[in-house]
Amino acid sequence: MEFVAKKFSMLKPNELYEILKSRSEIFLLEQHIVCQDMDNIDYNATHMFLWEDNKVVAYLRVFKIAGNNLKIGRVLSIRHNEGLGRILMELSLNYIKKYFNKYNNICVDAQVQAIGFYQKFGFKIISDEFLDEEIPHKKMML
C-alpha cells in the first residue's frame, strides 16, 4: 500500500478515475447521497489517498478556505474496520504539517457517527448539528 498526495493537475488519469469511483461507491451507493460530487473544489485541492493494487482504498482531499485555514473533505475508506482511515489520516496530517505553510486551523464537516474518529486526532466540535445532504454533521477544528 502506498500513500499518495497530489494536486489535481498531477493526478494520472487512472488515479483520478479510481478516486471518483471510490467516492461514488461510498457516498452514492453506500450512503445514498445524491448530489453533484464533482464540485470544482477538486481543481484546487490536494488529493491524498492510499493506493493498493491500482485502486484507491482510502481517500481525502484538503484545500484552503477563508482565513488561511484548511478544510479536509470527502473522507472515505473502501474497506471498513481495517484501520485504513486511521492510517490515511495520520499520514495526511503529517503531510499537511510538513508541506502546508502557515495555515491556522484544519476544519472538517464530520458526519455525526464519525466524530469519535476525528476526536482521536485532536479535532474539537465547534458547531451545533446541521444537515448536509440529509446526513447529520458537526463542524470540527484542529
Side-chain angles (χ1 to χ4, degrees):
M1 189 170 0
E2 175 187 5
F3 172 71
V4 180
K6 292 183 177 181
K7 293 280 192 189
F8 183 85
S9 63
M10 301 304 293
L11 290 169
K12 297 175 186 171
N14 64 320
E15 291 170 329
L16 178 58
Y17 182 86
E18 292 298 326
I19 286 168
L20 296 175
K21 188 166 83 172
S22 67
R23 286 173 20 179
S24 176
E25 182 175 331
I26 296 301
F27 300 122
L28 179 63
L29 300 177
E30 184 178 301
Q31 296 183 355
H32 308 291
I33 298 171
V34 181
C35 70
Q36 176 59 280
D37 178 47
M38 282 98 23
D39 57 6
N40 293 323
I41 291 172
D42 289 318
Y43 290 119
N44 297 311
T46 299
H47 303 268
M48 300 182 187
F49 52 96
L50 298 179
W51 186 252
E52 181 179 70
D53 297 327
N54 293 313
K55 293 188 184 334
V56 171
V57 295
Y59 171 84
L60 63 79
R61 66 182 183 182
V62 62
F63 52 95
K64 292 180 182 177
I65 58 173
N68 206 32
N69 294 310
L70 300 174
K71 186 168 184 179
I72 290 175
R74 301 289 198 268
V75 181
L76 66 87
S77 72
I78 295 297
R79 299 190 315 254
H80 303 304
N81 301 313
E82 293 184 23
L84 295 174
R86 178 189 51 77
I87 293 166
L88 176 64
M89 188 62 71
E90 287 173 354
L91 293 169
S92 297
L93 290 173
N94 288 337
Y95 184 93
I96 289 167
K97 288 173 187 169
K98 186 173 181 179
Y99 294 106
F100 283 74
N101 297 324
K102 301 178 185 171
Y103 66 88
N104 295 325
N105 301 293
I106 303 172
C107 306
V108 64
D109 291 348
Q111 291 185 7
V112 169
Q113 81 273 4
I115 287 173
F117 171 78
Y118 293 108
Q119 287 174 326
K120 290 177 186 174
F121 298 98
F123 285 86
K124 306 280 188 231
I125 296 170
I126 60 166
S127 79
D128 292 330
E129 190 172 297
F130 63 94
L131 290 178
D132 185 3
E133 298 300 330
E134 303 303 317
I135 296 176
H137 285 70
K138 289 189 179 184
K139 292 187 180 298
M140 300 184 79
M141 185 177 291
L142 177 66

